[in-house]
Each structure stands twice: as C-alpha cells, then as structure tokens.
Amino acid sequence: MAMLLFVFISLSTLASPVFPDIEGWQKGEIKTYNTETLWEYINGAADYYLTYSFEKLELLEYAKSDDQYIKAEIYHHTNPINAFGIYAFERPADGEFITLGIEAYMAPSITVFYIDKYYVKVLSHHSASETLEAINSIARLIATNLSENPEIPDELSLLPLKNQLAHSSKYIPANFLGYSFFTDVVTAKYTLAGNTIDFFCISCESDEAAMNILLKYISTLNLDISASASKVIELSDMFNGPVSLFIKNKQLFGVYNYKDADAAKDFLLRSAN
C-alpha cells in the first residue's frame, strides 16, 4: 500500500513542471477538465474540441496583482494530428505567425501553438508590456517542457509542399465536404495557373477501401459513372462543384474548387506520386 501511495504522489507531481515559474508572477493551482467537464470551461466550443479527440485540459493561472493575470491552457489530444486539427480549425487567416512549437501565432495578448499532441494557449485580458513579455516567456517554456524535438504529424506529409498556400493545411476528422463517409481528411489550398485549388487526401486500409468510399460518393450524387482505380474520376457535385478523384497506394486523393479541369487533373496525378 505504501509503495502504491508513493507511486501516485510521484506521478501527480510530474505534471506541474510543465507550467514554468515566472519571476514576479504567482502560480495558482492546476485545474483539470476532461471530456465530461470541458463544457464548464468552454461551453460553446466544447463539442469542436471533442471532435478532435480531446482528452483533458490543464489550466493554470498566473497572477501579478488582483487584476493582472495570465491563463495558460494545455489541451491534451489523443495524437498529434488531432492537436493540429483543432489548432488549424481555430487558426486565423491573418495571424502573426511565429517560430514556436510546430506552428504558432500571436494575436493581441495571446500566443497559440501546437506541439506533438498538445494544443496550447497563453492569454490575458491585459496588454501591458510586462504582461505580453510574460505571455511570450510562459509559452516558450511550456513548449520546451512539452517536447524538445517536435515533429510534424505524419499525415501532413501527404500534402505536397510545392505551391501550397502558407497556413492553409487542415485536418478534418468527419463530414468533409458535408459527407459522412469522408473522414480523417488532410487538406490544403494551392496556387494553380494563377488560381486557387483545394487538394485533399484520405488514408485507407487498402485500395479496395478507398474505392468503396469513392463508390459511396458516386451513389450519393446519383451519378452513372464507372469507377476505376487506374484513372482520374471527374464528378459534378451540386454543393462543391467539379471534383476530381484518384486512388493510389491506399490513398484517395481529390481536388475541387478549380477552373481548369486539365490543369487540375495534372495536379492531382502529380500530387499522388
């Protein structure tokens, strides 16, 4: 019994060093929210976090005075792609992007980043220079404490880097393009012949599984098209416009939101190789 108690105490004290000590700022107690209680902290957005396989939130508040404080929030997700997914879901198009974690941005009185399976926010309602400096210090120390050698999620390697618009990549766990059979999708925007095109990829257990998804799509659209894994399939989607798809190496690749069908087809084939 004594040994079990010792182990419990040791494990429980290991979590606190993730939140660094900052000179001049008093640390409060760590508050923890799980899948059942997250709504108590972020009622309106809790469902979005749960969609991205949220596990728990650790929250700690730093105080310099009664009305000057900083909140540090560490959201734990099941894996890196889900941490990236919620980060990308909330990422602003016009954020001030900085080098921190795997990707990060700053906005007034907040620093946000993701690293490994963690999504982190350090924020305050105060904009004094000393508060902003403390936010930056806390964020950088938390990133170091969480992971010394962060790596980009493996799934994002399926997205070509050439001509990819900066900060446009996303991970959509369910209902991509409005269809329940499009799940676990990585997607990004690209420049193509002076226009923007959307590319996506779904990893499957086999080419047959990828084909089954494609056939469900064709059936849902009520189209009379024969599908083959050896050629690009061009569809007309009443909600998303023209969509081209191609299967290779257990992946279902697709492009949409394009104006030049031939250029889109060429892009799709090159991206799948």
Side-chain angles (χ1 to χ4, degrees), residues 1-236:
M1 186 70 177
M3 182 177 294
L4 291 176
L5 180 61
F6 174 79
V7 171
F8 173 78
I9 293 173
S10 297
L11 292 177
S12 65
T13 57
L14 285 176
S16 59
V18 172
F19 295 98
D21 294 325
I22 301 296
E23 185 176 357
W25 293 80
Q26 182 68 36
K27 290 166 63 175
E29 295 183 358
I30 296 174
K31 297 179 181 179
T32 302
Y33 299 85
N34 58 32
T35 57
E36 300 297 326
T37 60
L38 182 61
W39 64 272
E40 296 175 6
Y41 184 63
I42 50 169
N43 188 14
D47 286 344
Y48 293 112
Y49 283 74
L50 295 176
T51 298
Y52 288 96
S53 296
F54 165 87
E55 291 185 324
K56 69 175 180 178
L57 162 64
E58 290 183 299
L59 167 68
L60 185 140
E61 187 170 300
Y62 293 80
K64 193 173 186 66
S65 62
D66 290 341
D67 63 348
Q68 192 172 5
Y69 62 88
I70 294 171
K71 289 184 178 180
E73 306 170 350
I74 303 177
Y75 296 85
H76 298 238
H77 294 263
T78 55
N79 51 43
I81 192 62
N82 276 290
F84 162 77
I86 187 63
Y87 164 84
F89 176 79
E90 295 192 333
R91 174 182 55 199
D94 57 351
E96 180 185 346
F97 291 93
I98 60 175
T99 301
L100 178 64
I102 298 176
E103 185 178 302
Y105 64 87
M106 295 175 61
S109 301
I110 184 171
T111 294
V112 181
F113 67 93
Y114 86 97
I115 185 169
D116 292 346
K117 66 175 186 176
Y118 308 101
Y119 176 42
V120 181
K121 301 179 184 180
V122 184
L123 65 155
S124 177
H125 292 299
H126 304 270
S127 57
S129 58
E130 61 181 359
T131 301
L132 299 181
E133 290 175 4
I135 287 174
N136 182 62
S137 296
I138 293 168
R140 294 191 176 280
L141 289 170
I142 286 177
T144 299
N145 291 339
L146 288 174
S147 178
E148 294 183 355
N149 298 296
E151 296 183 358
I152 295 173
D154 292 339
E155 293 85 347
L156 296 183
S157 65
L158 296 168
L159 299 173
L161 294 178
K162 185 177 181 180
N163 297 326
Q164 184 183 131
L165 296 183
H167 313 298
S168 70
S169 57
K170 292 185 177 182
Y171 167 66
I172 312 298
N175 296 312
F176 179 66
L177 296 182
Y179 299 103
S180 61
F181 45 80
F182 282 161
T183 62
D184 298 317
V185 180
V186 288
T187 181
K189 294 182 179 295
Y190 294 80
T191 55
L192 180 67
N195 297 305
T196 300
I197 186 173
D198 287 271
F199 172 84
F200 66 90
C201 178
I202 303 173
S203 296
C204 304
E205 294 181 355
S206 64
D207 286 349
E208 181 180 3
M211 178 58 69
N212 287 338
I213 295 174
L214 177 54
L215 292 176
K216 286 181 181 179
Y217 189 25
I218 293 173
S219 175
T220 300
L221 297 177
N222 294 315
L223 299 175
D224 184 16
I225 296 176
S226 60
S228 169
S230 62
K231 67 176 182 179
V232 173
I233 308 299
E234 298 178 71
L235 308 177
S236 178

